[in-house]
Amino acid sequence: MGTYDRRTFIKRSAVLAAAAAAVRVLPTHASASPAAIRRETCHAFFDGAGRAPEVIAHRGGDGQWPGETMRALREAAKLGADVLEFDVFLSSDGELMLMHDHKVDKTTEGRGVVNNLDSKYLQGLNAGHKWSPDGKCRPFENKSALDPQYRDLRVPRLAEVFDEFPRMRMVIEMKKANLSPAAALSKMIRERGAQERVLVASFKGKFMDEFRRFSPEVATSYSLSKGDVERLLSGRRLSDNEPGQPSAIQLPYQLVTEERVRRAHARNIKVHAWTVNDLDKMYLMWNRGVDGIITDYPGPLLALLGRARPV
């Protein structure tokens, strides 16, 4: 196991352990308090949901197209994905930029930490440079993002995404970083009138607390922070001077059981399973009653659900 693989394994194991601890505090239907069951947690974000499970295109569908690019988002929307999912960082000049990793080295030909780079430099990078559909070939390697043919592979600004998809619902994850994107994200969501079509997520509890203070009206998911686990434990309605109650919990698919889904639903909490790329696992999550499946392969999932659009 290489250094990168070893670090990924350790990180993933820690996330699974924290998520397992969080879901254990969900009450059973019998033990849930009446106040908890009456909580009006179903945010307007979910009013736009169609048939469950919703197809949530992870990074725009990174298994089918270079993730976190306008090309991926456009193709996922064209296929009929219900929700676009992607990650944001704050650039050094204060722009919200789409990127999955805190270093651009992972996906592009560039080098450096996103927070330390300005938006002009970032938009000159090809986010499909290292992408491979099969783990071998790299069809967009060494292509220039300045070439009109590959312009849709450059690192996008969040403003571009809102401009192009004024009605699409989105899950936006604030990644762990040196600079918090919470204030900028809150401001942009309000400016674009997107309060009812965005769900904000993050593994960083501090970022989630900040965002909820700025925008208590916007839907959020539980993080794995101590504060969010306490919210999950309490089952209480938050007081008027506290930020908005989370509306969803996003779990690794390995931790999703029918019982856990039922417990969450007893609290009016929606359940999203991630990242589900195998057809058998997609079918399993569907049968377990999740509200959304986060996948790198929105096309196969739509086909499995009988919702594939004619090509």
Side-chain angles (χ1 to χ4, degrees):
M1 183 182 290
T3 301
Y4 173 76
D5 291 334
R6 185 162 55 248
R7 288 175 179 170
T8 302
F9 174 77
I10 292 170
K11 180 180 178 181
R12 185 172 181 81
S13 298
V15 169
L16 287 170
V23 297
R24 279 198 294 270
V25 305
L26 284 168
T28 63
H29 193 71
S31 65
S33 68
I37 295 175
R38 287 197 304 270
R39 281 179 58 239
E40 297 176 0
T41 331
C42 290
H43 189 275
F45 173 84
F46 299 103
D47 291 346
R51 292 169 290 176
E54 291 201 280
V55 176
I56 304 173
H58 180 241
R59 304 178 64 190
D62 186 57
Q64 297 183 249
W65 315 279
E68 316 276 348
T69 65
M70 294 302 293
R71 179 175 297 196
L73 298 176
R74 287 167 183 162
E75 293 296 335
K78 192 186 304 181
L79 276 183
D82 299 297
V83 181
L84 301 176
E85 190 273 352
F86 48 85
D87 313 281
V88 294
F89 286 89
L90 204 60
S91 68
S92 64
D93 56 336
E95 285 277 0
L96 287 163
M97 309 296 295
L98 272 63
M99 181 68 64
H100 185 264
D101 299 272
H102 78 289
K103 286 188 175 182
V104 299
D105 313 45
K106 179 69 181 296
T107 54
T108 79
E109 73 277 30
R111 295 183 66 84
V113 175
V114 181
N115 290 159
N116 298 336
L117 304 171
D118 65 41
S119 56
K120 183 177 180 180
Y121 173 79
L122 290 166
Q123 291 226 282
L125 298 177
N126 170 12
H129 176 68
K130 295 183 179 179
W131 181 80
S132 174
D134 57 8
K136 298 176 182 178
C137 69
R138 292 181 176 179
F140 305 110
E141 188 173 23
N142 297 321
K143 305 299 183 184
S144 172
L146 302 179
D147 183 333
Q149 185 178 355
Y150 302 106
R151 185 177 175 83
D152 58 358
L153 294 180
R154 70 179 185 171
V155 177
R157 294 180 297 116
L158 179 58
E160 295 176 75
V161 178
F162 276 127
D163 286 343
E164 177 134 355
F165 304 100
R167 286 178 290 278
M168 280 292 296
R169 292 161 60 239
M170 305 172 187
V171 171
I172 302 177
E173 180 178 342
M174 301 182 292
K175 299 303 287 264
K176 292 183 179 180
N178 299 325
L179 299 176
S180 170
L185 180 57
S186 172
K187 183 174 184 288
M188 182 168 290
I189 290 172
R190 287 185 174 178
E191 287 177 347
R192 301 306 176 104
Q195 294 95 323
E196 295 187 357
R197 61 183 183 88
V198 169
L199 174 73
V200 175
S202 181
F203 283 117
K204 192 168 180 65
K206 179 183 177 182
F207 289 179
M208 290 306 302
D209 290 341
E210 289 176 0
F211 182 83
R212 290 177 187 136
R213 284 196 298 272
F214 292 129
S215 293
E217 76 280 12
V218 176
T220 62
S221 69
Y222 283 93
S223 70
L224 302 181
S225 68
K226 179 182 177 183
D228 271 4
V229 170
E230 287 175 349
R231 287 185 177 94
L232 210 54
L233 268 169
S234 68
R236 61 184 171 81
R237 180 187 292 277
L238 298 183
S239 64
D240 292 338
N241 62 351
E242 291 182 284
Q245 184 81 301
S247 307
I249 185 167
Q250 297 179 333
L251 294 172
Y253 73 86
Q254 297 94 329
L255 298 180
V256 175
T257 65
E258 288 184 28
E259 174 65 13
R260 285 170 177 166
V261 171
R262 188 176 63 79
R263 291 184 185 188
H265 287 171
R267 295 271 302 280
N268 290 326
I269 298 168
K270 302 293 186 179
V271 179
H272 293 163
W274 56 267
T275 301
V276 191
N277 292 335
D278 179 88
L279 283 173
D280 290 338
K281 298 297 190 302
M282 292 174 182
Y283 189 74
L284 182 64
M285 293 299 102
W286 182 13
N287 278 333
R288 289 185 177 173
V290 300
D291 302 283
I293 295 176
I294 301 173
T295 180
D296 289 323
Y297 296 92
L301 177 54
L302 286 163
L304 176 68
L305 298 174
R307 294 169 45 196
R309 291 179 177 176
V311 178

